[in-house]
Amino acid sequence: MGGGVGKREFDDWVHAHTADLLRYTKARVREEAIAEDLVQLAFIAAWEGREKFAQQSSPRTWLFSILKNKIADHWRKAYRDPVVHGLEPMDADFFAGDGHWAPGHIPQEWGLDGPDQDEQLQRFLADCLQQLPVHWRAAVEMKFLNEKDAGAICQELGITATNYWQQIHRAKVRLRECISTKMNKNHRR
Amino acid sequence: MGLMQTLLLSCRKAAELTERQSFAPLPAGQAVQLWLHARICAGCKAYQQQSKLIDSLLEQRGDTTVPLPTGPLEERIIAAVDSNK
């Protein structure tokens, strides 16, 4: 039996999966409007490529895979925007000259109680991601889309593997401290 | 590997290697240095734990089933696909 799907069945997919696809995307881009556009682009691409849909796979898996490519496209463009690279802010000195953690920046255990705090941590993470310089955020987002390996990502961004994981490193150091600061503020109440 | 060589791994380097390790296995010597450094440096031990936690939080984003009012978006999508036939 050949691949493909009819319009009515496709419309059912739109109703069945839009919310999940949107939820996934909203968490991974800066604005809700962008998220909606990307979900729409994914469905259009799915419809245009519907002959390729194999009956054995699940529509959900197939749609998510197309969506992840659209999100990766979005971040690749953001990364390569030359304006964006000029906007790197003055960075706090997380490390002292000798390479030790600088005073005031030394990571300390968070003393988490369990999964109940995940929701709060996700909120903190979302805020902290919004504060990252765009090209660092792009590097992080592309890593966690997991659709391609690091080598392919580096080629698409036009950077070396070393540059790539160094940017992820700087982003993570910043994210960690941002989350830590929010947790401390929370505990003081 | 001696204690001195272990101590020569700076915290900055340890944090960089922690990240690099998430891309590909480190050369054996570096992997051991990193592991030993985290055993004697409380800050870097905390950093590694938190870095891992952030990785799993990043993976799990959008996993909740908070209801979203996507009716209008669904109609827009169906209309856009319609005009694409």
Side-chain angles (χ1 to χ4, degrees), chain A residues 6 9-10 38 46 51 54 70 118 155 161-162 166 172 177:
Chain A
E9 190 183 358
F10 192 85
L38 291 173
E51 296 305 317
K70 294 302 173 196
D118 274 9
Q155 252 189 332
T162 300
Q166 277 181 342
K172 289 287 282 298
E177 183 161 300

Side-chain angles (χ1 to χ4, degrees), chain A residues 15 23 36 108 172 176, chain B residues 50 55 66 74 76 82:
Chain A
H15 293 305
R23 206 173 281 120
E36 294 193 354
Q108 298 184 322
K172 289 287 282 298
R176 190 217 68 82
Chain B
Q50 290 160 12
D55 284 354
V66 170
E74 289 168 28
R76 281 207 303 281
D82 270 342

Side-chain angles (χ1 to χ4, degrees), chain A residues 7 15 23 27-28 36 44 48 95 99 101 108 110 122 129 141 143-144 146 164-165 172 176, chain B residues 11-12 19-20 22-23 43-44 47 50-51 53 55 57 59 61 64 66 74 76 78 82 84:
Chain A
K7 182 61 167 55
H15 293 305
R23 206 173 281 120
R28 289 162 174 78
E36 294 193 354
I44 290 172
E48 286 173 355
F95 298 99
W101 291 100
Q108 298 184 322
W110 284 345
Q122 286 288 6
L129 280 168
E141 295 294 351
K143 182 185 180 203
F144 286 89
N146 274 336
Y164 184 50
W165 62 257
K172 289 287 282 298
R176 190 217 68 82
Chain B
C11 296
R12 180 200 297 269
E19 219 49 65
R20 184 155 164 247
S22 71
F23 279 86
C44 286
Y47 180 81
Q50 290 160 12
S51 179
L53 174 56
D55 284 354
L57 289 171
E59 290 280 357
R61 286 177 295 169
T64 65
V66 170
E74 289 168 28
R76 281 207 303 281
I78 288 172
D82 270 342
N84 233 19

Side-chain angles (χ1 to χ4, degrees), chain A residues 148-155 161 164, chain B residues 23:
Chain A
K148 298 168 176 144
D149 64 27
I153 295 173
C154 291
Q155 252 189 332
Y164 184 50
Chain B
F23 279 86

Side-chain angles (χ1 to χ4, degrees), chain A residues 161-181:
Chain A
T162 300
N163 282 358
Y164 184 50
W165 62 257
Q166 277 181 342
Q167 286 180 341
I168 304 274
H169 153 70
R170 294 172 77 187
K172 289 287 282 298
V173 168
R174 220 165 201 227
L175 281 175
R176 190 217 68 82
E177 183 161 300
C178 175
I179 293 171
S180 207
T181 303

